[in-house]
């Protein structure tokens, strides 16, 4: 099972050949998750690595004061939980499904054997460094941007990770507000502006009408 996609391979999958990716999936147990379902929990021991085959997830970190911060978005081709497995430390973040997701759960020993047999430890290190650069919460990463640019960047990343290129963004206004550290009223105002200029389709659902305009709003 390799996970059909209309987009080029990304994540760890993009760093290895197709045979190596398939070999990893074959070592794992199939798992499926409904939207909103928990994949990994912050603080739990790292016993398995999840290779994400389809669907999108959000990575959340709970702070000592109880606040929950959006750290990253992941999609097909990404690995989840590999840092805790490799370092034998508790998981540093919680992962929840955005869409219906499919993954393969690979045990710690099987994952280590895979790395050794396929000789891809360097690729895993490169992948880890790339993820570390995204380990800062969204509201900190985008602190100097206007609310409009922050929202546009988040919508753009979510849409880019869609398996089928769907323009639908399955986030509520509250999801966006929480993820970016903005007031819900600020999010609502800026989404309305994006609808009025044709970037988003009219209506209550978040649907991207003009990707080019969205990229311009995102400053890209």
């Amino acid at each position: 099972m390799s996970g059909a996609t209309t987009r080029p391979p990304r994540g760890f999958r993009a760093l290895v050949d197709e045979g190596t990716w398939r070999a990893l999936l074959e070592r794992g147990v199939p798992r499926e998750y409904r939207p909103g379902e928990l994949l990994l929990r912050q603080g739990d021991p790292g016993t398995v690595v999840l290779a994400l085959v389809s669907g999108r997830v959000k990575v959340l970190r709970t702070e000592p004061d109880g606040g929950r911060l959006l750290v990253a978005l992941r999609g097909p081709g990404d690995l989840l939980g590999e840092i805790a497995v490799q370092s034998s430390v508790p998981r540093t973040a919680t992962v929840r499904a955005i869409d219906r997701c499919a993954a393969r759960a690979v045990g710690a020993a099987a994952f280590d054997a895979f790395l050794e047999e396929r000789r891809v430890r360097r690729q895993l290190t490169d992948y880890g460094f790339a993820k570390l650069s995204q380990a800062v919460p969204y509201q900190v990463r985008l602190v100097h941007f206007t609310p409009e640019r922050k929202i546009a960047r988040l919508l753009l990343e979510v849409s880019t990770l869609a398996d089928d290129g769907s323009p639908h963004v399955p986030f509520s206004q509250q999801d966006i507000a929480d993820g970016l550290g903005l007031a819900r009223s600020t999010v609502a105002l800026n989404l309305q502006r994006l609808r009025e200029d044709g970037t988003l389709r009219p209506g209550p659902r978040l649907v991207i009408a003009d990707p080019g305009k969205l990229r311009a709003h995102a400053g890209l």
Side-chain angles (χ1 to χ4, degrees):
M1 181 177 180
S2 59
T5 177
T6 59
R7 297 178 181 272
R10 59 171 309 283
F12 182 71
R13 183 178 180 180
L15 300 178
V16 299
D17 60 61
E18 191 62 22
T20 297
W21 177 251
R22 285 198 301 270
L24 174 61
L25 299 186
E26 288 167 1
R27 290 177 181 268
V29 177
R31 289 188 180 175
E32 295 188 354
Y33 303 90
R34 299 181 303 275
E37 190 172 355
L38 185 75
L39 282 75
L40 301 173
R41 188 191 309 273
Q42 183 175 333
D44 283 355
T47 57
V48 298
V49 175
L50 296 180
L52 193 56
V53 177
S54 65
R56 296 167 289 183
V57 301
K58 51 187 175 182
V59 181
L60 305 160
R61 187 170 69 228
T62 301
E63 298 295 282
D65 63 1
R68 180 160 288 186
L69 305 177
L70 176 63
V71 176
L73 303 171
R74 304 289 180 219
D78 273 314
L79 302 181
L80 306 169
E82 78 285 357
I83 295 176
V85 164
Q86 290 286 288
S87 60
S88 300
V89 299
R91 301 199 185 282
T92 58
T94 291
V95 180
R96 286 194 179 275
I98 296 174
D99 314 298
R100 182 172 294 277
C101 295
R104 290 295 179 102
V106 184
F111 185 67
D112 191 65
F114 159 78
L115 296 175
E116 189 67 28
E117 293 172 13
R118 304 298 297 204
R119 299 182 179 181
V120 290
R121 291 190 185 277
R122 179 184 59 80
Q123 289 91 329
L124 182 66
T125 298
D126 291 345
Y127 177 64
F129 279 133
K131 290 177 78 172
L132 282 174
S133 69
Q134 301 174 342
V136 179
Y138 262 81
Q139 54 261 61
V140 176
R141 254 186 278 168
L142 308 180
V143 67
H144 298 299
F145 291 170
T146 63
E148 178 186 88
R149 183 161 292 186
K150 291 178 182 181
I151 293 167
R153 290 218 172 188
L154 182 58
L155 298 183
L156 190 63
E157 184 170 354
V158 174
S159 66
T160 299
L161 291 175
D163 294 343
D164 57 0
S166 170
H168 173 235
V169 178
F171 276 6
S172 67
Q173 290 184 8
Q174 193 62 56
D175 288 334
I176 296 172
D178 292 343
L180 297 176
L182 297 172
R184 184 171 176 176
S185 58
T186 300
V187 173
L189 176 62
N190 281 275
L191 290 177
Q192 182 58 35
R193 289 173 177 169
L194 293 176
R195 290 186 177 99
E196 289 172 352
D197 77 357
T199 301
L200 300 177
R201 293 180 189 170
R205 300 179 67 198
L206 291 178
V207 183
I208 298 168
D210 191 326
K213 284 186 177 180
L214 185 61
R215 290 184 63 84
H217 283 296
L220 299 172

